[in-house]
Each structure stands twice: as structure tokens, then as C-alpha cells.
Amino acid sequence: MKIIHITDTHLVDKGQRLYNLDPAQRLAAVLTHVRDTQADADLLTITGDLTDRGEPGAYAMLGELLSDLPMPVRLLLGNHDDRAAFGAAFPGQPRDPGGYVQSVQQVPGLRDRLVFLDTNSPGENGGRFCESRANWLREALAEAPDAPLVVFLHHPPMDHGMRHFDNINFHDAARLMEVLDAHPGGVRHMFFGHIHIPFSGVMANGMGFTGGRGCSHQFRQEFENPAPDWIAGVPNYGIINITADMVTWHGVDTIEGEFLCATTPCAGP
């Protein structure tokens, strides 16, 4: 299964700018590249902070930008999103019985399942995973206890080394990790956003993880600085491939790369 991963699009109302750039223009460039080069993808997911202020107009703009993609779309909420405004704009996006934007999807041809989680907490920049969400996840995973998981969410549930986020992290990540750790099928990989910089590794429990670079504004990577500069960075997205043998991620960040010269195929060993 091939999945396009985008995160932290931070759209604002039409005609507005955010930190001196146009997030919609940035996302449009990414989606154009996806249409032109990745039309065979099975799914596109955006892992939260779809908008910057939760404005209905920004969600409407997002719907327009996504309307002609050749693959299905799965959207998640981040701390900058508004659950009610999102639901009004995207009534077809799946929710759990508690109204949280959470769902599970089977990977075609494999035992693996994709798990999409909602860590939005109204009025907070940090993430939450309340008992209602945890109970839904326990029940969903119990339906296929031996199925390996690939998990998508907004807030990283581990230490990421960016001091700027010290007070706005995933506040009760332990509740989520307890559920995932107890799943017999294991977690093959976890994908998220929130910190706006690329970040990957493996936890002590063996779970691999990858954080996407922000599609809109990005941070200067001054890890110990509590107030690093926002920078424009480059338009980018990730390509995830899930097979029986491995889960891979390619970061595409050369959409606006400067051409130097043509190359030729390598002859062989």
C-alpha cells in the first residue's frame, strides 16, 4: 500500500497570510506534485493542524484543494483545528461513536491495519488521549488482535528534543502507549506531525516512528532554543510504502529544487 503523508498545512482564510507566507499556495504546490508524480498512491493523509485557526473558510479552501485528487483522503485533527468546523466541512470523514476523528482501515492484501487517532484537545496546544478514545482503540484493536499496526496521529508520544514544545507536548501519551504496547500484533511504525521538523527513530519497545516536516512554515532546528525562528523551508511530503517485508518512508523535499545538470543511468556493478 502506498500512502502520501502531509502534515501541518495550517491553512488560513482566503486572502490572508501566515508568518509572511501563503499556506494554501504551499499546499497547492505539494498537491500538484502529488497528482503529477504519485497518482498511483492508494491514500493521502494529513496528520493534523489542517488549519491555523479552525476557520470554516480555511476548511472550505482545504476541501477545494483536495477535491480532484486521484486517491482517497484521510484527515486528522491537530491542536490548531476545530472539531465542529472540521465536521461541518468534512462530514464524510470517519469518526468513532464518541465523535472523535478516529478510524481503522485494512491494508489491502496484508494483515496490517492503519489506525488514525484524534489527539485534539480544545483550548490546548498540547495533545490529549482521553479514556473514551482509549476505550474505542482497545475495542477496535481487539477485533483483529494479531494484526500489525501502522499508526497516524498529530502529537508525537515520545521525547522529540525540541525545547519549544516542552509545555505543549502530548500530555497523556502514556495512556495511548499502554494500549499500543498491549496489542499482540505490535506496531510496525507510527507517523505524526506537530513539531514541524523531520524526526525519526525507534523506541525502547521496538516501535519505529517518523515525524513529517511541516508543509507550511517550519522551525529553524535550534533544539535547545525555546523560541526558534519560523522559516519558510521547502514544500514537502512523505511517501509511505507498506509491504509484507517492510514499511518505508521517502521524504520528498525537492519540489522546488534548483536544476544543476542532467544525469545518466549507471552501467552496473
Side-chain angles (χ1 to χ4, degrees):
M1 185 177 191
K2 181 177 180 178
I3 303 171
I4 304 302
H5 177 212
I6 302 171
T7 195
D8 293 272
T9 50
H10 283 268
L11 296 187
V12 292
D13 266 336
K14 191 169 292 186
Q16 296 184 9
R17 296 178 70 82
L18 179 66
Y19 305 125
N20 297 313
L21 60 76
D22 182 350
Q25 185 179 54
R26 176 63 63 91
L27 178 58
V30 167
L31 294 177
T32 294
H33 197 266
V34 168
R35 290 186 195 94
D36 290 346
T37 66
Q38 310 298 333
D40 63 334
D42 300 294
L43 183 72
L44 181 146
T45 185
I46 306 179
T47 50
D49 282 0
L50 309 171
T51 70
D52 192 67
R53 303 164 194 139
E55 300 155 316
Y59 288 115
M61 188 186 308
L62 178 60
E64 294 172 7
L65 289 167
L66 297 173
S67 62
D68 62 348
L69 286 174
M71 73 285 291
V73 174
R74 190 62 58 93
L75 303 175
L76 294 180
L77 299 185
N79 45 283
H80 281 261
D81 288 306
D82 180 275
R83 189 174 285 108
F86 169 82
F90 297 98
Q93 289 288 311
R95 295 179 175 225
D96 72 13
Y100 295 106
V101 185
Q102 304 197 130
S103 59
V104 176
Q105 178 177 331
Q106 187 72 35
V107 176
L110 297 176
R111 293 187 303 116
D112 302 61
R113 303 171 88 201
L114 309 180
V115 178
F116 300 92
L117 300 177
D118 183 338
T119 58
N120 171 276
S121 179
E124 288 189 287
N125 278 329
R128 296 282 180 187
F129 198 69
C130 61
E131 195 59 29
S132 172
R133 284 175 265 200
N135 284 335
W136 169 85
L137 182 58
R138 292 185 187 99
E139 293 174 3
L141 298 187
E143 295 173 2
D146 296 328
L149 309 178
V150 177
V151 179
F152 296 85
L153 68 167
H154 181 69
H155 294 85
M158 74 287 291
D159 182 14
H160 45 70
M162 281 291 287
R163 189 178 169 197
H164 174 80
F165 291 90
D166 280 354
N167 298 319
I168 56 172
N169 281 321
F170 195 161
H171 297 308
D172 51 3
R175 180 179 283 121
L176 168 61
M177 296 308 298
E178 179 183 0
V179 177
L180 295 179
D181 280 334
H183 179 62
V187 175
R188 296 186 71 187
H189 211 82
M190 182 181 295
F191 295 93
F192 48 79
H194 188 53
I195 60 174
H196 287 251
I197 63 170
F199 173 56
S200 63
V202 180
M203 288 180 274
N205 59 9
M207 292 185 195
F209 59 84
T210 299
R213 190 195 302 264
C215 180
S216 181
H217 47 291
Q218 298 155 25
F219 270 121
R220 198 177 301 283
Q221 287 156 298
E222 299 172 348
F223 302 103
E224 296 301 321
N225 185 353
D229 296 336
W230 286 121
I231 60 172
V234 294
N236 70 94
Y237 61 93
I239 303 172
I240 300 164
N241 277 289
I242 303 172
T243 69
D245 296 326
M246 68 179 83
V247 176
T248 63
W249 177 89
H250 287 93
V252 179
D253 58 5
T254 55
I255 296 172
E256 296 180 350
E258 179 185 356
F259 173 78
L260 297 177
C261 64
T263 186
T264 58
C266 295

